[in-house]
Amino acid sequence: MHIRSIRRITNDSNHNAFTGACWFKDALYVGFRQGDAHAEQQGRLIVMRSRDEGVSFDIVHVARSTGDTRDAHLYTDGRRLLLAGFVTDPGGCRRSGTTWTENGLNWSPWTPYKGADGFVMWRPQYFDGTYYCAGYSYATERYGVAWFESSDGVHWQKKYWIRKTASEQPNECSLVFKPDGTAAILMRREHKSKRPLLLHGRPPYRKWQVRELNIPLAGPCAWWVEDDLWISGRWVPRPGVAHLALFKIVRDKAQFEMVMPSGPEFDCSYMGVAKHPTHRGRFFFSYYSNHVAPSDPSISQWHHPDVYVADVLFEEP
């Protein structure tokens, strides 16, 4: 693994966080949530585009619903680039939705999801003609993660519960597919160990092999490099220190590989992964961190993180 570059793409004294990344029509797109603080009602989703492989970016879309609009995720079905997120209103109610574009510049209005009331549809994916999502619910009577499918990316059908247990408090899930149909889910848990679950499944995705990983991790992200599964997230090696760490899954265990420039405060991670369209070993990572202070010295470094983009080779340079 070789880091070719890491660029800071925001420096505006906002709280910039919770990123997603995707290649679409020969351009790199990065989405993130921008607001005044980690959680407040002015949150909106920003989409930036780079036409020179991550060197420079311009803003192409701003999405905002009726409340704190957050947790940007970008993915494509080949025809459209879709931005997914969820809205939290002042009462704490969460509603997921999407907006999309066919040319990268003209976007649809914010469209609430249908058939997924009470669930956060976190990082849906498109594979082989169907949209999939492992959505989570915080409702007391149905605390867990459920499997959803859709034919259009807006109207969803809940198929079954993947994990339903209040004691584990499973929530954010990073779902990824291999070309042969193998799927993996990295599932965050608020269990006292903070250790995530790693699930593997095959079509029609009704049974999953489940393993508890050997590390605490939040803000989960997973991606395939050929046949190897890699994961990342907010890693707390000891109290008071947090970093965005990358791991490779080896024999069902997370093998530590490296820490990206990040931390030491907790506000970091939530990585997005965009595989280069023509170079199979080249990936672009988006993430957020507060390890560099804003240019304005009156702005708190620890409460106003920025977004970074890394250009990475998973082979010898």
Side-chain angles (χ1 to χ4, degrees):
M1 179 181 173
H2 173 65
I3 305 293
R4 301 181 72 241
S5 67
I6 301 177
R7 288 185 169 87
R8 183 186 188 187
I9 66 170
T10 63
N11 183 16
D12 51 21
S13 300
N14 286 296
H15 185 285
N16 300 298
F18 318 123
T19 78
C22 187
W23 278 90
F24 181 70
K25 294 188 180 296
D26 298 320
L28 173 64
Y29 290 80
V30 173
F32 57 95
R33 184 263 190 188
Q34 182 185 84
D36 298 336
H38 188 99
E40 50 79 42
Q41 289 300 300
Q42 298 304 312
R44 58 266 182 193
L45 299 182
I46 309 295
V47 180
M48 301 179 75
R49 178 190 62 176
S50 173
R51 293 176 288 175
D52 52 11
E53 297 192 322
V55 175
S56 59
F57 286 84
D58 60 303
I59 296 176
V60 293
H61 186 52
V62 178
R64 190 199 306 267
S65 188
T66 55
D68 182 8
T69 311
R70 55 191 300 117
D71 283 37
H73 172 60
L74 290 166
Y75 69 110
T76 181
D77 59 12
R79 181 177 64 87
R80 302 177 298 171
L81 176 66
L82 298 99
L83 170 68
F86 69 92
V87 182
T88 302
D89 64 25
C93 179
R94 300 182 177 188
R95 304 177 309 281
S96 298
T98 186
T99 176
W100 61 86
T101 177
E102 294 184 1
N103 60 13
L105 294 175
N106 305 109
W107 293 72
S108 73
W110 179 261
T111 304
Y113 285 145
K114 308 296 183 183
D117 292 347
F119 285 85
V120 174
M121 304 294 282
W122 207 75
R123 302 202 175 190
Q125 294 288 2
Y126 177 84
F127 179 74
D128 196 25
T130 301
Y131 302 82
Y132 298 97
C133 187
Y136 70 90
S137 171
Y138 273 140
T140 304
E141 68 279 5
R142 54 177 189 177
Y143 204 134
V145 174
W147 184 254
F148 287 84
E149 296 179 8
S150 171
S151 61
D152 62 5
V154 175
H155 299 81
W156 293 89
Q157 288 186 331
K158 175 175 166 289
K159 296 298 184 177
Y160 61 92
W161 288 97
I162 303 175
R163 198 82 176 177
K164 190 172 184 283
T165 166
S167 61
E168 290 187 354
Q169 299 182 34
N171 50 85
E172 298 163 347
C173 292
S174 180
L175 167 67
V176 286
F177 294 92
K178 285 175 63 177
D180 68 0
T182 301
I185 297 174
L186 181 62
M187 182 182 296
R188 177 178 177 175
R189 295 188 301 167
E190 300 309 314
H191 182 270
K192 61 181 180 180
S193 72
K194 304 297 183 184
R195 292 181 176 181
L197 298 179
L198 182 61
L199 295 78
H200 285 89
R202 297 276 303 168
Y205 311 115
R206 295 298 182 266
K207 295 181 180 180
W208 298 88
Q209 296 179 340
V210 182
R211 297 286 187 276
E212 181 184 75
L213 291 182
N214 53 315
I215 53 167
L217 209 66
C221 178
W223 68 100
W224 293 100
V225 181
E226 301 296 335
D227 291 326
D228 294 326
L229 183 64
W230 288 67
I231 66 172
S232 72
R234 182 187 299 142
W235 176 54
V236 182
R238 58 185 174 84
V241 176
H243 291 292
L244 170 63
L246 277 62
F247 303 84
K248 183 179 179 181
I249 301 300
V250 179
R251 293 186 291 274
D252 292 327
K253 293 185 181 297
Q255 174 180 289
F256 175 78
E257 295 293 334
M258 70 176 302
V259 164
M260 302 294 281
S262 56
E265 292 286 333
F266 86 98
D267 232 352
C268 64
S269 81
Y270 284 82
M271 200 171 89
V273 177
K275 184 178 180 180
H276 194 282
T278 60
H279 192 315
R280 67 180 187 179
R282 189 178 179 189
F283 290 73
F284 286 80
F285 298 159
S286 62
Y287 72 97
Y288 85 102
S289 176
N290 51 18
H291 67 281
V292 175
S295 298
D296 184 346
S298 67
I299 301 297
S300 167
Q301 175 176 348
W302 311 121
H303 298 99
H304 292 83
D306 281 305
V307 174
Y308 295 80
V309 172
D311 182 354
V312 181
L313 283 178
F314 282 87
E315 57 188 37
E316 290 298 321

